[in-house]
Amino acid sequence: MSDGAQQTTTLGYAPGKVILFGEHAVVDGQPAIAATLDRGIRVAVSRSGVNDGPILRSTNASLPPRCRPDPGGEGPERLRAALRVVVDLCGPHTRQLQFSVDGAIPPGAGLGSSAALAVALLRGVHQWQGEPIDDETLIERAFAVEKVFHGNPSGVDHTTIVRGGVLAYEKPRGAAIGTATSLILPRRLRLAIGVAGPHAGTATAVAALRERARNHPEHYARIFHGVGALARAARLHLEKGELGAVGELMDLNQGYLNALGVSTPGIEALCAIARERGALGAKLSGAGGGGAVIALVDDDPEPVRRAFAAAGYTAFTTTLDSGRVTATSAASEEP
Ligand code: MEV
């Protein structure tokens, strides 16, 4: 292994993600469909000059400006703990590194900022070490970092972010890792995305839902199965380019998410705006309790984006294309 001594700065990049179908139910072993965004997080890796790090600096509002993983360091405990895992995985020389993070994913919005940070950090460190990392190892390592951020993640976020494109993902209950299948779409998916404010965090939302489910396990299990059935059906419609049906299933999925208690008035308002403006369907993406709403449209997502922005929400558009994401129309807009 090279110690990276000759290297000055290396870069690691990872995109954000949306979940088209199946969040929360995927933690219970049901299938989900997710896709990468055309915006993400970039990590520049260089030597810090000290050996008690790594140090993390960020221009991204989702992250603290400076973080050391040793006790007494700055930054939230979860981020310090995540950096400790990176050191454990990548070796003690990682302690001499500094990470400068910037990105364009709204923080705490269910758009995969923590999984993207984990993947971008690991890619940057491996670049710095001059050691290529294959996707399987990266997925395994990013999962270890994601567990610090999210407690008991299904793995859909970081797997999608490593693989890229549009994926069907499933991790049966009790399985150590999930399986992901890349989908080839005959039609582009055009989305308007509105952010209903920051959420309380994925770990909190997942734990609170587990707690609620404990009181009525059979009813919640039925909902999780219902969501899984929607994801299976949606995959078939996606693969045939039947976007009207995909939109209807998104609306149904949102109904289940509301029943699960992870929707909010802001999310419901964004869904209503999208449907009024002719979206084929709309739902929250990610953990809920705030965060992003994704609205699928037949053609131009601009009118829905404008309506989101006019109602006071941060909004942008994106296009998912044949297993890849194109950067055609993305434009972050503050209201
Ligand atoms: C978060 O993006 C998706 C959840 O289903 C959690 C997970 O899958 O780990 C809410």
Side-chain angles (χ1 to χ4, degrees):
M1 177 190 74
S2 146
D3 70 354
Q6 303 312 312
Q7 310 237 21
T8 49
T9 301
T10 58
L11 286 178
Y13 173 80
K17 66 93 196 27
V18 290
I19 297 191
L20 295 165
F21 289 92
E23 50 274 273
H24 287 292
V26 69
V27 180
D28 208 60
Q30 296 296 325
I33 298 176
T36 40
L37 285 170
D38 50 2
R39 52 182 63 212
I41 285 190
R42 204 173 27 241
V43 177
V45 180
S46 57
R47 263 189 206 286
S48 68
V50 291
N51 195 26
D52 61 351
I55 297 169
L56 190 144
R57 294 191 172 85
S58 171
T59 55
N60 183 327
S62 66
L63 302 170
R66 194 160 185 262
C67 175
R68 288 167 191 247
D70 49 334
E74 298 170 65
E77 179 49 35
R78 266 180 213 255
L79 191 47
R80 285 201 295 274
L83 292 178
R84 279 198 293 273
V85 173
V86 172
V87 172
D88 288 348
L89 291 168
C90 300
H93 59 280
T94 314
R95 294 173 61 78
Q96 319 158 20
L97 298 181
Q98 63 180 1
F99 304 128
S100 297
V101 180
D102 75 281
I105 311 176
L111 296 173
S113 56
S114 69
L117 175 63
V119 174
L121 274 173
L122 290 164
R123 281 184 172 147
V125 171
H126 277 268
Q127 279 281 334
W128 191 82
Q129 292 171 327
E131 285 179 345
I133 182 167
D134 60 82
D135 280 1
E136 292 318 306
T137 312
L138 183 55
I139 285 171
E140 201 180 291
R141 293 187 166 194
F143 201 23
V145 182
E146 260 289 87
K147 280 180 184 160
V148 177
F149 287 126
H150 284 172
N152 177 31
S154 68
V156 64
D157 289 8
H158 76 277
T159 303
T160 303
I161 284 167
V162 170
R163 293 273 300 262
V166 185
L167 296 181
Y169 178 86
E170 190 165 355
K171 180 170 164 295
R173 287 175 87 163
I177 54 163
T179 54
T181 309
S182 295
L183 303 186
I184 303 299
L185 309 186
R187 285 187 64 190
R188 293 176 162 191
L189 302 184
R190 297 179 198 279
L191 302 178
I193 299 181
V195 181
H199 64 54
T202 300
T204 309
V206 170
L209 175 53
R210 295 300 119 185
E211 194 56 42
R212 290 195 292 280
R214 207 163 288 146
N215 296 332
H216 306 283
E218 71 285 5
H219 298 305
Y220 279 82
R222 239 175 255 137
I223 293 180
F224 291 143
H225 275 102
V227 173
L230 292 181
R232 281 190 197 91
R235 176 177 172 172
L236 300 178
H237 289 302
L238 281 166
E239 287 176 329
K240 289 187 204 153
E242 294 165 349
L243 300 193
V246 173
E248 285 168 24
L249 298 184
M250 286 172 72
D251 287 343
L252 281 169
N253 195 160
Q254 176 58 26
Y256 278 130
L257 288 163
N258 199 350
L260 290 171
V262 296
S263 192
T264 65
I267 289 169
E268 294 302 321
L270 279 164
C271 289
I273 291 169
R275 291 169 193 145
E276 270 162 30
R277 290 297 164 126
L280 300 171
K283 63 178 278 296
L284 69 83
S285 169
V293 164
I294 55 173
L296 178 67
V297 301
D298 202 21
D299 189 9
D300 181 8
E302 250 319 280
V304 177
R305 185 202 64 75
R306 274 201 299 272
F308 286 165
Y313 297 99
T314 296
F316 59 97
T317 64
T318 196
T319 302
L320 316 182
D321 186 12
S322 284
R324 289 177 296 112
V325 175
T326 59
T328 48
S329 58
S332 183
E333 296 289 339
E334 298 299 329

